[in-house]
């Protein structure tokens, strides 16, 4: 889901990595990761990006049979998302459409942290922040400040008792907030099974399957050149976007920030290609044409990161 809203407030850093990274802050990161993987909960959160704000209701139940998550959008066009261990289904009542996609990222909302949390210290200075009371919970904070201009910074607030992530803000190199999410109300534990069932699942609606399958795009001649420091490829698939032919996708991440590279045949497109950079809040999009294909790089990362990756995408016809 997307959903990637984390962090705030730029810290002034100096000295060695060992001196900059607080053991207490690293311990809190681990608690956040473990809590959002293991806890069942329900609540309402607000996601803000610039002047735009959206309110959603989320319910998550964990168990031996697998985790299930239901998200209902309470503002704007009505829709509902059901995530299971294997798939994501998005129900759109207005068009009576169900969009189906096989899951390639198993991390649960709002858990955005990797299992190897210690790797984050290579690219971020990690320190404790000031406590805050959020949605009736006493919270402690951790701040991740980037060591370069290729990624955003993050500030996270978590419940002191359970480690559940209650609020997160993303900030740029000037310390300005680019997006955030915050729970307005939250109940942890005791989630009835009927609350994770899709409201529209029994409807006979049109189904659009993204047909996501593992891929090896290098065999077809595609490559991404000098990768960004700290970023590594975590996913490589083909998917169907709407009625278009299959599109290649590679996802790069440093554990928090993520950048996707989409490779789509230019032939058969009905819309003109607009090369260059565009932005939507914390997201940047860079488009260019390579070997009669449209390369689109989308990332919740600074424009420099997105453009740098896009400019290294190359095609060499396999021998």
């Amino acid at each position: 889901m997307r959903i990637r809203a984390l962090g705030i407030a730029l810290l002034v850093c100096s000295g060695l990595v060992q001196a900059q990274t607080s053991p207490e802050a690293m311990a809190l990161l681990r608690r956040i990761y473990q809590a959002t993987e293991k806890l069942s909960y329900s609540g309402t959160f607000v996601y803000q990006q610039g002047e735009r704000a959206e309110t959603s209701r989320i319910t998550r139940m964990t168990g031996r049979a697998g985790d299930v998550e239901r998200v209902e959008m309470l503002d704007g066009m009505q829709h509902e998302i059901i995530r299971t261990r294997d798939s994501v289904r998005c129900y759109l009542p207005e068009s009576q459409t169900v969009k189906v996609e096989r899951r390639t990222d198993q991390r649960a909302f709002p858990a955005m942290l990797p299992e190897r949390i210690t790797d984050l210290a290579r690219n971020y200075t990690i320190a404790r922040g000031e406590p805050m009371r959020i949605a009736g919970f006493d919270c402690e904070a951790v701040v991740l400040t980037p060591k370069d201009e290729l990624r955003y910074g993050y500030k996270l607030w978590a419940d002191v008792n359970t480690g559940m992530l209650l609020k997160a803000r993303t900030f740029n190199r000037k310390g300005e907030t680019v997006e955030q999410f915050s729970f307005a109300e939250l109940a942890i534990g005791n989630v009835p099974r009927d609350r994770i069932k899709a409201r529209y699942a029994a409807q006979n609606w049109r189904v659009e399957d993204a047909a996501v399958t593992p891929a090896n795009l290098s065999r077809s001649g595609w490559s991404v050149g000098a990768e960004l420091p700290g970023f590594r490829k975590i996913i490589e698939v083909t998917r169907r976007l709407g009625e278009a032919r299959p599109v290649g996708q590679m996802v790069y991440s440093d554990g928090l920030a993520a950048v996707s590279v989409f490779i789509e045949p230019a032939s058969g497109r009905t819309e003109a290609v607009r090369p260059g950079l565009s932005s939507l809040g914390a997201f940047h999009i860079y488009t260019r044409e390579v070997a009669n294909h449209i390369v689109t790089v989308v990332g919740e990362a600074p424009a420099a990161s997105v453009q740098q990756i896009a400019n290294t995408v190359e095609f060499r016809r396999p021998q």
Side-chain angles (χ1 to χ4, degrees):
M1 135 156 197
R2 67 65 97 183
I3 311 172
R4 272 188 188 274
L6 305 167
I8 183 181
L10 201 57
L11 298 182
V12 177
C13 313
S14 60
L16 299 176
V17 173
Q18 290 83 353
Q20 295 173 328
T21 299
S22 158
E24 293 81 8
M26 295 297 291
L28 178 53
L29 283 180
R30 292 188 180 92
R31 288 193 68 211
I32 292 173
Y33 176 78
Q34 293 167 359
T36 50
E37 286 287 300
K38 297 178 180 179
L39 293 177
S40 296
Y41 56 86
S42 62
T44 302
F45 68 91
V46 179
Y47 170 73
Q48 294 177 284
Q49 187 181 76
E51 297 182 355
R52 182 171 63 91
E54 297 177 346
T55 305
S56 301
R57 181 183 298 117
I58 183 170
T59 305
R60 185 169 189 267
M61 186 177 71
T62 61
R64 294 181 179 179
D67 304 337
V68 181
E69 180 180 290
R70 179 187 182 199
V71 180
E72 304 169 84
M73 307 305 174
L74 303 181
D75 299 330
M77 185 178 68
Q78 188 176 15
H79 62 289
E80 175 183 82
I81 299 171
I82 304 292
R83 292 188 184 91
T84 65
R85 178 185 300 170
D86 303 316
S87 67
V88 179
R89 303 177 73 89
C90 180
Y91 297 87
L92 304 172
E94 186 172 314
S95 61
Q96 295 191 343
T97 301
V98 184
K99 295 181 179 291
V100 182
E101 180 172 319
R102 181 185 301 174
R103 289 196 68 175
T104 55
D105 186 345
Q106 299 301 317
R107 291 176 292 181
F109 172 82
M112 293 299 173
L113 301 174
E115 293 182 5
R116 298 179 62 184
I117 290 176
T118 52
D119 289 349
L120 293 173
R122 299 176 183 176
N123 303 299
Y124 298 89
T125 297
I126 304 172
R128 294 295 295 268
E130 73 278 6
M132 180 183 291
R133 186 164 172 78
I134 300 168
F137 292 82
D138 291 325
C139 296
E140 50 191 344
V142 59
V143 183
L144 298 96
T145 304
K147 297 179 179 179
D148 54 35
E149 298 180 5
L150 299 176
R151 60 204 93 229
Y152 290 128
Y154 306 93
K155 186 170 185 178
L156 318 176
W157 286 267
D159 173 33
V160 296
N161 293 317
T162 65
M164 176 68 190
L165 186 63
L166 269 291
K167 181 175 181 177
R169 301 176 70 181
T170 304
F171 59 91
N172 61 22
R173 61 189 298 267
K174 297 180 180 179
E176 300 166 336
T177 301
V178 293
E179 68 176 15
Q180 73 172 12
F181 90 84
S182 181
F183 275 100
E185 58 90 15
L186 177 68
I188 300 175
N190 301 319
V191 174
R193 180 165 290 277
D194 60 355
R195 294 188 61 184
I196 58 172
K197 293 182 179 179
R199 178 183 303 178
Y200 309 103
Q203 304 295 328
N204 187 23
W205 290 355
R206 180 167 59 94
V207 177
E208 292 184 0
D209 194 330
V212 177
T213 57
N216 188 333
L217 299 176
S218 61
R219 291 180 181 176
S220 302
W222 292 100
S223 66
V224 176
E227 299 176 8
L228 296 177
F231 285 79
R232 61 183 180 89
K233 184 164 59 179
I234 58 172
I235 299 172
E236 189 169 2
V237 297
T238 59
R239 64 171 62 242
R240 188 175 297 278
L241 299 179
E243 300 300 324
R245 286 175 291 177
V247 174
Q249 180 187 10
M250 293 177 280
V251 180
Y252 293 82
S253 177
D254 69 351
L256 288 175
V259 179
S260 286
V261 179
F262 295 96
I263 301 173
E264 173 189 2
S267 58
R269 285 179 59 99
T270 57
E271 298 180 358
V273 178
R274 296 182 178 179
L277 182 69
S278 59
S279 302
L280 179 62
F283 285 87
H284 290 91
I285 305 167
Y286 191 83
T287 303
R288 59 188 288 253
E289 187 169 347
V290 180
N292 201 33
H293 283 70
I294 306 304
V295 173
T296 303
V297 180
V298 182
E300 194 171 18
S305 298
V306 172
Q307 188 168 349
Q308 188 170 329
I309 287 180
N311 286 335
T312 66
V313 177
E314 296 181 346
F315 176 78
R316 294 183 180 180
R317 190 175 302 278
Q319 300 297 323

